[in-house]
Amino acid sequence: MNQPRASSPTQEHAYRHGPRITAIETLIPDGIMPGLLLLRIHTDAGTIDGNSVIGHGESYYAPHAVAAVVHDWMARRLLGACATAIESHWRFLYERATAFGGKGAELRAISAIDLALWDILGQTTRQPVWRLLGGPVRDAIPVYNSCGGPGYGRRPPNAPDGQGWPGHGDPGKPGTLEDNYNSIQHPAELAEELLTEGYTAMKLWSFDRVFQRSGGHRISWEDITEGVQPFQAIRERVGLKMELMLDGHGFFSLPAAVRIGEAMREVKPLWLEDVLRPDCAQTMADFRDRAGVPVAVSEMLVSRDEYRQVLQIGAADYVMIDPTWAGGISETRRIAELAQAFNIPALMHDCTGPLTLFAGLHVAASCANVTFQETVRAHLKTLYPLLIDDSIAMQHGHLPLPSRPGLGVRLLSELFRPGQSGHRISKLES
């Protein structure tokens, strides 16, 4: 029995050409990173350069819900359809999801699918995605280190049910690559170490513990001193050689956020990010006016219209975009170019999985408005090798443009074992 069309006659173009999508596979790598969803889209394109044409994608947060969205209804649209009808599939899935207010799991599902479809297009044309997007606009992508540790986002050892709360990073512990711990306990030494590795920008989370201890509606002068001290120590040791940023993870309301902004002026931050939760564009604009330092907003936004509101009201000096939350490579590129119309630079977010990083690299390689790609060096060295088939080497504060066709990296095939917990597959009926 043939797969029924999931669309109207005006959508037949999405089924007339090839290669066809033959299966959609998802996996939650619970023992590696329990919040991550990995996705593969299989095609009938055969092999190219010895590799089967399989598209790879991912998203992060509530992975079981995202997998359900993919298999319960999005697969009906995609199975049997043309794998390179990227924009047609994006619009159809987005319009059907937003008919019911869906911008959470639905948009994350679209994001993962979009990455995989771009990956397929790159493989079938033997081109890296950035070239298909119109690049290059630079020779390498500038990056910074976000001070998470090896355990950030991962299941704690010897804690089968432990996962922590989303958005609450662990404080870390003494040890190699424990950048969250060392950014608080030994910030000057960490800054020197990062400089020797080639990083010239680093982002700290020094007010997280203040929030977890005291809440976010008011902040004492003692708490301010505690949160600013790591920045002061870095400035005293390395001066202005290191660009510094603060991520507040959206923990503070306006009065506390303004006090943090005022106190941070002396350390000359490149930006303050999500000190205030981005629930209200007007309040974010008020914060930017009163803080007196540049403000970045925010991977917590997940639709182009939310970014439009922030830009139109003058609430941001930078816009931060997560490609696997905001709608994939397709929508990330559109948001970055929207920001460019306002003369506001874009930033690529990644504190989750390797394909989020690679998606950001492709957008940054093809869009002149992108200023930085976020990295977590602990993830590059300890987590991502468990998931992908290539290593990632930062040099002189930059990552190279991906050179292989498609996304430039593949999820390890041995991760996708049928029958294991967290694995689902939907196949085209013959």
Side-chain angles (χ1 to χ4, degrees):
M1 178 178 177
N2 291 328
Q3 176 76 14
R5 295 286 192 253
S7 46
S8 67
T10 62
Q11 291 290 309
E12 287 298 311
H13 61 268
Y15 299 87
R16 288 198 179 102
H17 309 284
R20 291 195 313 162
I21 296 171
T22 59
I24 304 172
E25 190 177 18
T26 58
L27 173 71
I28 301 166
D30 191 76
I32 299 174
M33 197 175 203
L36 192 64
L37 179 88
L38 306 180
L39 176 141
R40 298 199 302 180
I41 292 182
H42 299 258
T43 74
D44 62 3
T47 61
I48 295 178
D49 298 329
N51 293 310
S52 299
V53 178
I54 299 172
H56 302 77
E58 73 178 27
S59 191
Y60 183 83
Y61 178 64
H64 293 276
V66 177
V69 170
V70 169
H71 293 284
D72 291 353
W73 75 268
M74 289 187 178
R76 289 167 38 218
R77 160 74 182 197
L78 296 170
L79 290 173
C82 172
T84 59
I86 299 172
E87 183 64 15
S88 179
H89 296 319
W90 198 100
R91 287 307 311 177
F92 181 88
L93 297 175
Y94 177 80
E95 289 170 4
R96 300 283 58 75
T98 54
F100 298 91
K103 290 185 180 178
E106 294 90 343
L107 200 52
R108 284 170 166 77
I110 292 171
S111 300
I113 289 166
D114 187 78
L115 262 64
L117 297 182
W118 276 106
D119 191 22
I120 291 167
L121 180 60
Q123 292 176 47
T124 57
T125 59
R126 292 181 168 87
Q127 298 287 342
V129 168
W130 56 260
R131 194 175 295 282
L132 301 175
L133 293 171
V137 297
R138 49 178 54 94
D139 293 324
I141 313 301
V143 301
Y144 66 88
N145 184 62
S146 197
C147 290
Y152 181 65
R154 302 186 63 182
R155 190 178 298 286
N158 304 316
D161 298 323
Q163 191 173 339
W165 291 107
H168 283 227
D170 68 288
K173 58 187 178 182
T176 303
L177 298 176
E178 290 285 353
D179 290 352
N180 195 14
Y181 177 88
N182 288 322
S183 69
I184 304 301
Q185 304 300 329
H186 310 288
E189 292 82 357
L190 176 59
E192 287 185 322
E193 179 184 330
L194 290 171
L195 283 169
T196 63
E197 290 193 14
Y199 291 97
T200 58
M202 60 187 292
K203 187 163 71 180
L204 286 71
W205 310 342
S206 60
F207 280 89
D208 284 19
R209 57 184 180 165
V210 170
F211 164 78
Q212 292 168 352
R213 184 177 63 241
S214 305
H217 293 301
R218 66 174 300 274
I219 189 166
S220 69
W221 291 115
E222 183 179 4
D223 289 338
I224 288 287
T225 299
E226 177 184 328
V228 174
Q229 191 279 327
F231 292 91
Q232 294 170 328
I234 293 169
R235 283 284 177 252
E236 290 171 4
R237 180 70 62 89
V238 303
L240 297 175
K241 294 179 182 178
M242 180 70 76
E243 293 279 14
L244 299 177
M245 299 86 89
L246 168 68
D247 192 338
H249 292 128
F251 286 148
F252 299 96
S253 54
L254 183 60
V258 169
R259 183 170 278 192
I260 292 170
E262 291 172 344
M264 285 291 295
R265 292 175 191 170
E266 66 172 287
V267 297
K268 297 180 171 60
L270 186 59
W271 69 70
L272 303 188
E273 177 184 334
D274 291 336
V275 180
L276 187 74
R277 183 161 296 278
D279 290 334
C280 174
Q282 182 60 63
T283 306
M284 287 189 285
D286 292 345
F287 171 64
R288 182 191 176 213
D289 288 342
R290 297 168 63 182
V293 293
V295 171
V297 181
S298 159
E299 76 271 10
M300 295 184 187
L301 305 178
V302 293
S303 78
R304 199 183 336 165
D305 189 60
E306 290 177 326
Y307 284 97
R308 176 193 60 80
Q309 293 177 51
V310 165
L311 289 163
Q312 286 185 336
I313 205 167
D317 296 283
Y318 299 86
V319 294
M320 174 80 76
I321 315 165
D322 188 300
T324 59
W325 297 350
I329 290 171
S330 297
E331 191 73 345
T332 298
R333 175 61 183 264
R334 290 188 279 258
I335 295 168
E337 293 197 332
L338 174 65
Q340 190 165 23
F342 287 82
N343 282 319
I344 299 296
L347 311 164
M348 295 294 108
H349 175 259
D350 175 45
C351 275
T352 51
L355 300 189
T356 302
L357 171 63
F358 273 80
L361 293 176
H362 285 285
V363 175
S366 60
C367 183
N369 194 44
V370 177
T371 303
F372 270 115
Q373 168 69 59
E374 180 175 23
T375 63
V376 178
R377 68 167 182 162
H379 280 180
L380 300 186
K381 296 180 179 182
T382 66
L383 171 63
Y384 294 175
L386 303 176
L387 300 170
I388 57 175
D389 68 348
D390 205 352
S391 59
I392 304 169
M394 193 278 297
Q395 293 185 340
H396 308 297
H398 292 73
L399 286 175
L401 277 59
S403 59
R404 292 163 59 185
L407 290 178
V409 71
R410 297 170 74 94
L411 295 168
L412 295 174
S413 58
E414 57 264 31
L415 294 170
F416 293 83
R417 299 190 305 275
Q420 67 177 306
S421 176
H423 178 266
R424 293 184 66 176
I425 188 166
S426 297
K427 296 182 180 180
L428 180 65
E429 296 181 11
S430 57

